[in-house]
């Protein structure tokens, strides 16, 4: 009987293996080859809790004390993520502001004698800073290029990519951002800060970095991808909170933009993490006000206070504000399309030529940016300073190398300023602060604003997608505030009212461009309110965001979705495609040839199947005494590799072990089966087996997931999609429709209350009178003595 049992199982496995498509057919059907996997392609994550024998035994040993300890550790990690991300943001901002301050101070000193020498020094400093950034990325941390938000969004969607959350990526992101932003490129540090927070959270979740000997077993608490996912979510919110000093906006950004799965307990921890970041940043700002941080003073962190500007608005202003929304949607959609085309060309043609080409490309863009930012203001005629107002606190012209509005650049008179240099020859934070400033009517001419808009828009499109850490928040705010202020100038001249501020329209323009490009609404609205410190404009920001998003959606998808598709990140969006409602689960699974393992399988057969395909999940079958074939669970490829590498579960006998009597020893820790984040993990080529090992057997029953999610073959693909995405699954088994029902669960079966009675408390809305009358007895699954599989049902 046992020999027949084993023989039938092996024959089934070999039959299914023989039905595998050839290598050419696999690639035609979209399966990833091993070579592509080694090159860093994506892999799904296991957010499902695998309730196998080892898991149940370990959970049985844990009491209420361990549950309380786990909760305390989660909050402690949230605290550490907030502190770490806040300190990283402080370090980046202090470094950027000091590099930029030294650069502008030295340049202003030199141009007093020679503008050509000042230009050379200015350009060389920019190229040196940018060169350091691109060298770090290309030679040390390739995954640190770009903003990192599409990759983090993919991770929280259930996709893991090699290198995205490693320690070297964190280092490359921090120091690369300092070089690229300090070097004056048309990009920001806010997106990289989100990636930085996610890396810090991931490293804490897995206990540090073993490769660089920076790990601690005291931090190795979480053994599931689900817990690590929650930590990365906290890191994303912390990054936004640190970048904009907007803790509530950080929470909403994590909820709206990057996460695919949310619960109330996670909301509390994310909110706590953002609050800690706000405290750390505020403390650093207070410490730096005394002058201990060099050029880092009132500038640095992005916050533009316009609370002292326009107090109210009239109905007549709604039309130009709506026009700003339309313009933001059009320019944002155009920006997405242009960056998509250029990035596609870079990835498929230019960047395939090697790291040297990437370095040369970024250096050329740095030289072009320096020439434009230094050269264009030379052709602009200076403007006399307005009458000084002692209460405004604005000095004209400002002292060279210091923060302020009016920049004296290539002017004959000391009481003149260059409005184009006020925008170009400044850090982006200070330039935006100048555009948002109140009580500065007619500071900028329409010609200068239009020139800056065209040139900076072009530079932002060119720079996005290069091999440096690059965010798009600040460039988007720069572009939007420029055309917003331009519209504000015409509104002031047309309505001739003294209470209209051009800075108000600059704020609305910034919101409209970000809404038209990134397609965020709620989180972006709160972020703009927090950074402007003016709640009165909340309805106006909501208006322009809704209009710009609607206009942008008519042309293409958001910036992060477009870039994720370009990077081949298979995101599952919140809504399934319309045609899925006409497809069934069976039709969708036809291209995937399922490969089965028998419960007791020969090591040689496991190695052969793992070498011949790249599937990550394998159903495990068994046979009843009546010869009926049952699927008893699902085993992951990573678990099989751990079993092959350890060899402690090899056995000479092809007989199955008895799992139910509790006598089976646990030879593995659950942490052994968890793959490190963003790493390739174990591959079949890393395992060395002797000929004697190949003749051994493994009983897979203790390691399988005995209760995988299953769907009937005629279920609509829309329902399968929602189930897959909302639960964060990696595999769903498609089975024929069940022949009989062994139980039914209703709401009352899920409301378990502690009381002295043995019967559960029934809800008043649940009626059970019709059961006896209809002579149909439906037993709750909780009352069934044997597992579901023992009754012949999956």
């Amino acid at each position: 009987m046992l020999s027949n049992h084993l023989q039938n199982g092996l024959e089934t496995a070999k039959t299914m293996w023989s039905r595998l498509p050839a290598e050419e057919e696999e690639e035609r059907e979209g399966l990833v080859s091993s070579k592509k996997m080694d090159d860093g392609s994506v892999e799904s994550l296991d957010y499902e809790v695998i309730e196998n024998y080892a898991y149940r035994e370990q959970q049985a040993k844990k009491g209420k004390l361990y549950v309380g300890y786990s909760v305390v550790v989660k909050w402690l990690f949230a605290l550490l993520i907030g502190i770490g991300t806040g300190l990283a943001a402080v370090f980046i901002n202090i470094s950027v502001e000091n590099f930029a301050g030294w650069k502008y101070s030295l340049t202003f000193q030199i141009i007093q004698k020679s503008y050509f020498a000042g230009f050379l020094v200015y350009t060389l400093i920019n190229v040196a800073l940018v060169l350091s950034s691109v060298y770090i990325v290309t030679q040390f941390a390739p995954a640190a290029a770009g903003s990192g938000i599409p990759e983090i969004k993919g991770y929280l969607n259930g996709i893991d990519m090699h290198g995205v959350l490693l320690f070297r990526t964190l280092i490359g992101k921090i120091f690369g951002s300092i070089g690229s932003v300090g070097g004056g490129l048309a990009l920001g540090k806010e997106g990289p800060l989100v990636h930085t927070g996610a890396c810090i959270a991931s490293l804490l979740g897995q206990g540090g970095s073993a490769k660089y000997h920076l790990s601690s077993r005291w931090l190795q608490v979480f053994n599931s991808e689900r817990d690590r996912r929650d930590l990365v979510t906290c890191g994303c919110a912390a990054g936004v909170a640190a970048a904009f000093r907007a803790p509530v906006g950080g929470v909403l950004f994590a909820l709206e933009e990057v996460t695919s799965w949310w619960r109330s307990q996670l909301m509390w921890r994310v909110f706590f993490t953002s609050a800690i970041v706000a405290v750390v940043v505020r403390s650093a700002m207070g410490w730096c006000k005394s002058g201990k941080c060099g050029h880092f003073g009132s500038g640095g962190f992005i916050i533009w206070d316009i609370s002292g500007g326009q107090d109210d608005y009239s109905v007549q202003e709604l039309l130009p504000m709506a026009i700003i929304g339309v313009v933001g949607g059009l320019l944002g959609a155009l920006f997405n399309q242009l960056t998509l085309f250029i990035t596609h060309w870079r990835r498929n043609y230019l960047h395939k030529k090697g790291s040297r080409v990437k370095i040369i490309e970024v250096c050329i863009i740095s030289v072009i940016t320096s020439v434009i930012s230094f050269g264009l203001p030379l052709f602009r005629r200076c403007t006399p300073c307005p009458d000084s107002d002692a209460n405004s606190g604005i000095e004209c012209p400002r002292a060279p190398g210091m923060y302020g509005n009016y920049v004296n650049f290539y002017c004959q008179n000391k009481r003149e300023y260059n409005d184009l240099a006020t925008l170009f020859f400044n850090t982006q934070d200070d330039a935006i602060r100048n555009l948002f400033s109140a009580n500065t009517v007619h500071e900028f001419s329409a010609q200068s604003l239009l020139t800056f808009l065209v040139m900076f828009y072009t530079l932002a499109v060119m720079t996005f997608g290069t091999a440096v850490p690059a965010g798009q928040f600040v460039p988007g705010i720069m572009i939007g505030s420029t055309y917003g202020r331009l519209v504000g100038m015409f509104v002031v001249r047309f309505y001739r009212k003294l209470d209209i501020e051009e800075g108000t329209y600059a704020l609305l323009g910034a919101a409209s461009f970000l809404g038209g490009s990134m397609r965020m609404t709620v989180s972006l609205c709160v972020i703009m309110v927090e950074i402007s410190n003016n709640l009165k404009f909340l309805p106006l920001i909501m208006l322009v965001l809704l209009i710009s998003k609607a206009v942008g959606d008519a042309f293409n998808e958001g910036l992060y979705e477009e870039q994720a598709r370009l990077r081949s990140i298979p995101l599952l969006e919140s809504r399934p495609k319309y045609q899925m409602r006409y497809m069934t689960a069976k039709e969708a699974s036809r291209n995937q040839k399922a490969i089965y393992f028998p419960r007791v399988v020969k090591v040689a057969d496991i190695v052969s199947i793992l070498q011949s395909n790249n599937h990550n999940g394998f159903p495990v079958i068994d046979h009843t005494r009546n010869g009926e074939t049952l699927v008893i669970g699902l085993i992951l490829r990573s678990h099989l590799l751990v079993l092959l590498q350890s060899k402690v579960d090899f056995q000479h006998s092809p007989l199955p072990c008895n799992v139910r009597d509790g006598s089976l020893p646990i030879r593995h820790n659950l942490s052994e089966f968890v793959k490190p984040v963003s790493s390739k993990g174990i591959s079949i080529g890393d395992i060395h087996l002797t000929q004697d090992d190949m003749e051994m057997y493994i009983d897979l029953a203790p390691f399988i997931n005995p209760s995988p999610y299953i769907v009937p073959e005629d279920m609509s693909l829309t329902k399968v999609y929602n189930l897959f995405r909302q639960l964060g699954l990696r595999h769903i088994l498609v089975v024929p429709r069940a022949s009989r029902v062994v139980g039914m669960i209703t709401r009352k079966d899920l409301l378990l209350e502690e009381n002295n009675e043995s019967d559960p408390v029934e809800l008043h809305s649940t009626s059970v009178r019709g059961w006896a009358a209809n002579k149909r007895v439906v037993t709750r699954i909780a009352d069934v003595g044997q597992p579901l599989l023992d009754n012949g049902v999956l």
Side-chain angles (χ1 to χ4, degrees):
M1 180 68 68
L2 290 174
S3 61
N4 293 335
H5 169 88
L6 177 62
Q7 185 66 25
N8 292 335
L10 291 176
E11 289 296 327
T12 305
K14 291 179 179 179
T15 301
M16 296 307 299
W17 177 36
S18 64
R19 294 178 182 176
L20 282 174
E23 184 176 353
E24 294 81 2
E25 185 180 352
E26 284 185 355
E27 295 201 4
R28 186 167 58 250
E29 292 179 354
L31 299 178
V32 183
S33 64
S34 59
K35 181 178 179 180
K36 290 183 179 181
M37 187 68 69
D38 293 338
D39 290 340
S41 78
V42 298
E43 182 180 352
S44 296
L45 292 167
D46 298 303
Y47 287 149
E48 180 186 0
V49 176
I50 301 176
E51 300 175 342
N52 53 22
Y53 174 79
Y55 174 82
R56 293 196 302 267
E57 288 294 318
Q58 190 177 75
Q59 292 296 115
K61 297 178 181 179
K62 297 176 181 178
K64 293 184 178 180
L65 182 61
Y66 180 83
V67 175
Y69 167 75
S70 178
V71 173
V72 171
V73 170
K74 289 180 180 179
W75 284 93
L76 176 61
F77 274 31
L79 174 67
L80 295 177
I81 291 170
I83 295 175
T85 307
L87 293 178
V90 170
F91 175 72
I92 291 174
N93 279 275
I94 290 177
S95 301
V96 169
E97 287 293 315
N98 277 288
F99 277 123
W102 295 330
K103 175 180 65 178
Y104 288 119
S105 297
L106 180 61
T107 304
F108 270 110
Q109 292 177 7
I110 296 177
I111 63 177
Q112 304 301 322
K113 301 177 181 179
S114 171
Y115 272 87
F116 181 74
F119 165 73
L120 291 180
V121 171
Y122 176 75
T123 304
L124 288 176
I125 294 176
N126 283 339
V127 171
L129 290 172
V130 171
L131 181 62
S132 67
S133 175
V134 68
Y135 186 82
I136 291 173
V137 171
T138 55
Q139 305 299 323
F140 180 68
S147 69
I149 293 181
E151 289 81 0
I152 301 303
K153 187 174 182 178
Y155 177 83
L156 296 177
N157 195 258
I159 300 298
D160 190 20
M161 288 165 290
H162 177 62
V164 172
L165 296 174
L166 297 181
F167 177 74
R168 68 170 181 265
T169 303
L170 171 64
I171 299 301
K173 212 72 177 182
I174 292 175
F175 290 96
S177 299
I178 294 173
S180 60
V181 178
L185 294 179
L187 43 83
K189 54 185 178 295
E190 290 65 37
L193 267 176
V194 176
H195 195 175
T196 299
C199 289
I200 293 174
S202 177
L203 290 171
L204 285 174
Q206 62 184 358
S209 175
K211 180 178 180 180
Y212 297 99
H213 306 288
L214 297 174
S215 60
S216 173
R217 65 184 183 89
W218 298 104
L219 297 177
Q220 296 174 359
V221 179
F222 301 114
N223 296 322
S224 68
E225 295 288 355
R226 179 175 297 185
D227 291 329
R228 294 179 180 178
R229 172 184 62 181
D230 292 349
L231 293 177
V232 172
T233 304
C234 293
C236 291
V240 175
F244 295 100
R245 288 162 61 183
V248 180
V251 176
L252 294 177
F253 175 83
L255 173 62
E256 177 186 8
E257 186 63 22
V258 295
T259 58
S260 303
W261 188 83
W262 197 265
R263 67 179 189 274
S264 58
Q265 296 92 334
L266 180 60
M267 172 76 80
W268 280 102
R269 277 188 281 143
V270 170
F271 187 77
F272 173 72
T273 306
S274 300
I276 295 300
V277 171
V279 172
V280 172
V281 170
R282 288 285 182 179
S283 302
M285 293 290 294
W287 186 72
C288 288
K289 283 184 178 179
S290 59
K292 299 178 181 179
C293 302
H295 290 272
F296 181 81
S298 58
F301 283 105
I302 297 182
I303 184 167
W304 304 288
D305 192 348
I306 61 170
S307 57
Q310 186 172 339
D311 293 330
D312 201 359
Y313 53 90
S314 62
V315 179
Q316 297 174 337
E317 296 180 66
L318 294 180
L319 178 60
M321 292 175 181
I323 294 175
I324 289 179
V326 174
V327 174
L330 294 174
L331 291 181
L334 178 62
F335 182 86
N336 293 356
Q337 203 65 37
L338 291 176
T339 54
L340 181 66
F341 288 152
I342 294 178
T343 307
H344 181 270
W345 173 75
R346 277 196 179 105
R347 293 175 64 89
N348 293 333
Y349 299 100
L350 187 63
H351 287 179
K352 285 187 175 181
K353 297 180 180 180
S355 300
R356 183 178 299 178
V357 175
K358 297 179 182 179
I359 296 174
I360 294 175
E361 177 199 18
V362 175
C363 291
I364 291 176
I365 293 178
S366 176
V367 172
I368 294 175
T369 304
S370 301
V371 170
I372 291 176
S373 60
F374 193 98
L376 284 182
L378 297 176
F379 297 96
R380 179 65 186 164
R381 182 179 300 177
C382 292
T383 306
C385 288
D387 296 334
S388 61
D389 186 0
N391 297 326
S392 64
I394 299 176
E395 180 185 0
C396 181
R398 68 174 173 89
M402 299 297 292
Y403 158 74
N405 282 74
Y406 303 95
V407 177
N408 184 284
F409 184 84
Y410 202 64
C411 298
Q412 301 297 329
N413 195 333
K414 293 183 178 181
R415 291 289 301 169
E416 293 180 340
Y417 73 96
N418 192 317
D419 59 347
L420 197 55
T422 304
L423 297 176
F424 267 125
F425 212 67
N426 240 327
T427 63
Q428 293 184 30
D429 291 0
D430 291 344
I432 295 172
R433 196 174 285 109
N434 296 336
L435 290 169
F436 281 4
S437 60
N439 303 319
T440 55
V441 182
H442 309 306
E443 177 184 358
F444 303 100
S445 65
Q447 182 181 1
S448 296
L449 289 176
L450 191 60
T451 302
F452 179 78
L453 174 63
V454 174
M455 298 310 300
F456 192 84
Y457 191 96
T458 305
L459 290 174
V461 171
M462 290 173 51
T463 309
F464 188 83
T466 54
V468 292
Q472 273 311 113
F473 274 103
V474 169
I477 294 175
M478 285 277 288
I479 295 170
S481 57
T482 303
Y483 68 74
R485 181 134 188 158
L486 192 60
V487 173
M489 291 177 57
F490 290 106
V491 172
V492 171
R493 294 179 182 178
F494 182 79
Y495 289 110
R496 299 183 181 277
K497 292 184 177 181
L498 299 178
D499 58 345
I500 298 179
E501 287 286 350
E502 298 173 1
T504 301
Y505 287 83
L507 173 68
L508 298 179
S512 68
F513 185 83
L514 293 179
S517 176
M518 300 179 182
R519 313 292 160 80
M520 296 187 297
T521 52
V522 180
S523 59
L524 183 58
C525 182
V526 174
I527 289 173
M528 297 304 295
V529 170
E530 288 186 282
I531 66 177
S532 62
N533 196 22
N534 197 327
L535 193 60
K536 298 177 183 179
F537 297 135
L538 178 61
L540 302 180
I541 296 175
M542 295 172 64
L543 174 66
V544 297
L545 281 176
L546 290 173
I547 295 176
S548 62
K549 184 181 186 306
V551 173
D553 286 339
F555 294 95
N556 49 34
E557 291 184 312
L559 178 66
Y560 299 138
E561 288 76 15
E562 295 279 5
Q563 294 299 318
R565 182 181 298 125
L566 184 64
R567 289 169 168 79
S568 301
I569 303 175
L571 291 179
L572 292 180
E573 299 299 333
S574 58
R575 296 180 59 183
K577 299 297 183 182
Y578 178 80
Q579 57 269 28
M580 286 185 178
R581 66 182 64 186
Y582 303 110
M583 300 175 62
T584 63
K586 182 178 180 180
E587 295 173 350
S589 61
R590 282 177 177 173
N591 292 333
Q592 296 291 341
K593 302 298 188 297
I595 305 173
Y596 294 84
F597 279 117
R599 173 178 171 175
V600 181
V601 60
K602 199 173 184 179
V603 173
D605 294 331
I606 297 178
V607 174
S608 178
I609 291 179
L610 293 182
Q611 289 177 341
S612 62
N613 68 87
N614 294 288
H615 292 192
N616 288 291
F618 303 92
V620 179
I621 63 173
D622 201 358
H623 297 274
T624 64
R625 295 179 180 179
N626 299 328
E628 183 181 359
T629 301
L630 296 177
V631 178
I632 62 173
L634 180 77
I635 190 164
L636 298 177
R637 181 188 189 92
S638 58
H639 291 192
L640 289 172
L641 293 173
V642 171
L643 296 178
L644 292 177
Q645 188 180 52
S646 65
K647 303 181 183 180
V648 297
D649 297 285
F650 290 3
Q651 62 186 37
H652 294 281
S653 173
L655 301 179
C657 58
N658 191 358
V659 180
R660 294 180 184 172
D661 60 3
S663 61
L664 185 67
I666 302 178
R667 304 184 181 95
H668 297 276
N669 193 325
L670 288 180
S671 60
E672 299 178 24
F673 295 98
V674 180
K675 182 178 74 71
V677 178
S678 295
S679 68
K680 298 179 181 179
I682 307 173
S683 66
I684 189 63
D686 300 329
I687 299 174
H688 303 284
L689 300 171
T690 65
Q691 188 61 35
D692 292 337
D693 293 334
M694 301 290 280
E695 298 299 324
M696 303 286 279
Y697 295 88
I698 300 179
D699 187 356
L700 302 179
F703 311 102
I704 64 172
N705 181 5
S707 54
Y709 287 91
I710 62 172
V711 296
E713 59 183 353
D714 56 350
M715 177 182 283
S716 70
L717 194 57
T718 298
K719 296 177 67 175
V720 176
Y721 185 97
N722 292 329
L723 177 69
F724 197 96
R725 185 182 187 275
Q726 293 174 9
L727 295 181
L729 303 180
R730 186 174 186 177
H731 304 97
I732 290 183
L733 301 184
V734 181
V735 299
R737 182 164 292 278
S739 59
R740 62 190 180 94
V741 177
V742 299
M744 179 180 293
I745 292 181
T746 61
R747 182 182 294 268
K748 66 183 181 65
D749 299 304
L750 301 176
L751 297 176
L752 301 180
E753 299 182 9
E754 296 181 359
N755 51 23
N756 296 326
E757 301 178 1
S758 58
D759 296 334
V761 179
E762 293 186 4
L763 296 180
H764 293 290
S765 60
T766 304
S767 176
V768 295
R769 294 179 179 177
W771 291 3
N774 295 330
K775 296 182 180 181
R776 292 182 301 171
V777 179
V778 181
T779 307
R780 294 194 305 271
I781 291 181
D783 299 330
V784 178
Q786 298 295 328
L788 189 61
L789 291 173
D790 293 343
N791 291 276
V793 181
L794 284 175

